[in-house]
């Protein structure tokens, strides 16, 4: 991803280039109003979603990336980025979080209303896309989402490859059959294929999805640093492919433009550089047994509410440990 300097570079290269880049964005009405929506708070809140959409992948790509050929799309990761006066905070939400999904229209075209039900938060995205996911997050946390950004597998790989790979230091060797990841310990440059496997794999960690979210946060920081480097921004052979790959595969809300994205990327870079916090929603039970017999993640009610209140009021985020 790029930092605010990407927007500046676009303006330097010319107004035409800026509007070309802006036209690459894919807008969706995911922030539609609904009864009881939380009022806007202080600061700015982004919902950032990595989806497992295979759109843009060939059969050969699916095989090479170990993605399988599932139809539709599910959320592979989701984070809330709060940008405010008391520091920026990137908060991961486990995709297996047990929440109430609001009543919503059946997207299959039947016209029926699906009643509110308790389920894993990932089901809201699978059943109603970004709009239902936003509503689920807002109603469960009380946090008003100001902007939305979503990217699928093909876009993720394209961004990494367009900047020549991302430099990462791996603490220990990783070999994961499901994702196809095979890395030695130490510092190395990850290709788009390797990067996708790195942020998806979870079987090497004792806490599975929670460990995977830490890897995702670490990787996003490294990617932001790489994309914002002068070697990327001042080289047309990397700059234009990066813009095309990142913006052309990104889904955003109707009101998001390049300057908004610039602010988001800059905030993410500051978090990774020590100018903010990277946290996970406080967990009360990582192996909650649901009424249906599934294993899910249950949030710590008191600690998570304290974090949500800090996001809403733009106050210092409390220690979640």
């Amino acid at each position: 991803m790029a930092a605010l300097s990407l927007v500046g570079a676009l303006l330097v290269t010319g107004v035409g280039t800026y509007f070309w880049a802006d036209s690459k964005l894919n807008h969706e009405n995911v922030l539609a109003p609904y009864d009881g929506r939380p009022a806007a708070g202080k600061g700015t809140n982004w919902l950032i979603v990595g989806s497992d959409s295979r759109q843009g992948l060939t059969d050969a790509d699916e095989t090479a990336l170990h993605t399988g050929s599932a139809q539709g799309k599910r959320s592979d990761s989701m984070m809330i980025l709060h940008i405010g006066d008391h520091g920026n905070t990137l908060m991961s939400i486990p995709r297996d979080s047990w929440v109430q999904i609001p009543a919503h229209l059946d997207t299959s075209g039947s016209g029926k209303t699906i009643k509110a039900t308790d389920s894993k938060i990932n089901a809201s995205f699978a059943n109603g896309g970004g709009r239902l996911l936003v509503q689920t997050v807002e109603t469960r946390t009380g946090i008003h989402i100001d902007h939305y950004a979503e990217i699928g597998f093909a876009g993720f790989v394209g961004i990494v490859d367009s900047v020549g790979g991302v430099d990462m230091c791996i603490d220990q060797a990783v070999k994961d059959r499901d994702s196809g990841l095979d890395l030695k310990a130490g510092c190395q440059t990850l290709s788009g294929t390797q990067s996708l496997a790195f942020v998806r794999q979870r079987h090497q960690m004792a806490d599975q999805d929670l460990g995977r979210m830490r890897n995702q946060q670490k990787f996003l920081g490294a990617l932001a640093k790489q994309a914002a480097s002068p070697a990327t921004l001042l080289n047309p052979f990397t700059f234009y492919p990066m813009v095309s790959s990142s913006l052309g595969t990104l889904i955003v809300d109707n009101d998001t433009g390049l300057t908004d994205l610039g602010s988001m990327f800059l905030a993410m870079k500051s978090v990774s550089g020590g100018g903010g916090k990277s946290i996970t929603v406080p967990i009360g039970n990582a192996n909650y047994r649901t009424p249906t017999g599934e294993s899910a993640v249950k949030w710590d009610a008191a600690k998570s509410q304290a974090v949500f209140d800090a996001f809403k009021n733009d106050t210092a985020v409390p220690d979640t440990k």
Side-chain angles (χ1 to χ4, degrees):
M1 295 182 178
L4 186 62
S5 50
L6 169 60
V7 177
L10 285 168
L11 290 172
V12 169
T13 55
V15 174
T17 299
Y18 181 92
F19 284 107
W20 164 77
D22 191 66
S23 71
K24 292 291 232 175
L25 290 172
N26 300 293
H27 292 92
E28 287 188 7
N29 186 26
V30 295
L31 302 182
Y34 59 87
D35 291 340
R37 187 182 184 197
K42 299 179 180 178
T44 301
N45 297 305
W46 284 81
L47 181 59
I48 303 169
V49 179
S51 84
D52 69 356
S53 170
R54 276 74 169 171
Q55 183 175 354
L57 297 179
T58 64
D59 291 344
D61 291 334
E62 292 173 354
T63 299
L65 296 173
H66 292 256
T67 65
S69 55
Q71 299 299 311
K73 58 182 181 180
R74 287 146 293 278
S75 56
D76 210 53
S77 63
M78 63 186 78
M79 306 174 185
I80 297 179
L81 173 66
H82 176 76
I83 305 172
D85 293 335
H86 290 81
N88 305 318
T89 302
L90 184 64
M91 178 175 68
S92 291
I93 300 176
R95 61 181 182 175
D96 288 341
S97 297
W98 193 249
V99 300
Q100 183 178 79
I101 298 177
H104 58 280
L105 287 177
D106 183 1
T107 56
S108 68
S110 69
K112 296 180 179 179
T113 296
I114 307 297
K115 295 181 179 179
T117 183
D118 290 339
S119 187
K120 295 179 180 179
I121 197 168
N122 195 25
S124 64
F125 186 75
N127 295 331
R131 181 182 295 192
L132 183 57
L133 178 60
V134 168
Q135 186 177 352
T136 301
V137 169
E138 286 186 331
T139 55
R140 180 60 183 84
T141 65
I143 298 171
H144 179 94
I145 299 299
D146 301 289
H147 290 291
Y148 175 91
E150 172 196 329
I151 192 163
F153 285 165
F156 183 89
V157 172
I159 292 171
V160 175
D161 285 340
S162 69
V163 299
V166 172
D167 297 331
M168 290 286 293
C169 291
I170 310 298
D171 296 331
Q172 59 184 17
V174 181
K175 191 166 186 177
D176 180 58
R177 183 178 61 183
D178 290 341
S179 66
L181 187 64
D182 188 359
L183 298 176
K184 296 180 180 180
C187 297
Q188 55 206 285
T189 301
L190 303 188
S191 67
T193 298
Q194 291 173 316
S195 298
L196 180 62
F198 179 75
V199 299
R200 295 187 69 211
Q201 73 89 20
R202 58 190 173 90
H203 299 297
Q204 301 295 316
M205 291 160 284
D207 49 1
Q208 299 275 314
D209 268 343
L210 300 183
R212 185 176 74 150
M213 287 188 295
R214 291 193 296 272
N215 275 350
Q216 290 170 347
Q217 291 177 339
K218 180 180 179 180
F219 181 84
L220 285 177
L223 179 55
K225 180 180 179 180
Q226 183 86 5
S229 69
T232 298
L233 294 177
L234 300 179
N235 183 348
F237 295 103
T238 56
F239 175 71
Y240 284 100
M242 180 186 69
V243 171
S244 183
S245 295
S246 59
L247 301 186
T249 56
L250 198 65
I251 296 173
V252 296
D253 61 275
N254 283 343
D255 293 329
T256 288
L258 285 180
T259 52
D260 300 305
L261 286 174
S263 296
M264 181 192 78
F265 296 145
L266 182 61
M268 290 182 67
K269 187 181 179 186
S270 75
V271 168
S272 67
K277 289 185 177 181
S278 292
I279 64 173
T280 298
V281 172
I283 305 300
N285 187 349
N287 294 293
Y288 171 68
R289 188 60 57 184
T290 72
T292 60
E294 297 177 278
S295 178
V297 174
K298 196 168 187 179
W299 301 347
D300 183 297
K303 290 183 178 180
S304 61
Q305 190 59 56
V307 173
F308 302 157
D309 288 343
F311 275 40
K312 288 185 288 185
N313 301 319
D314 193 25
T315 54
V317 175
D319 188 356
T320 58
K321 297 181 180 179

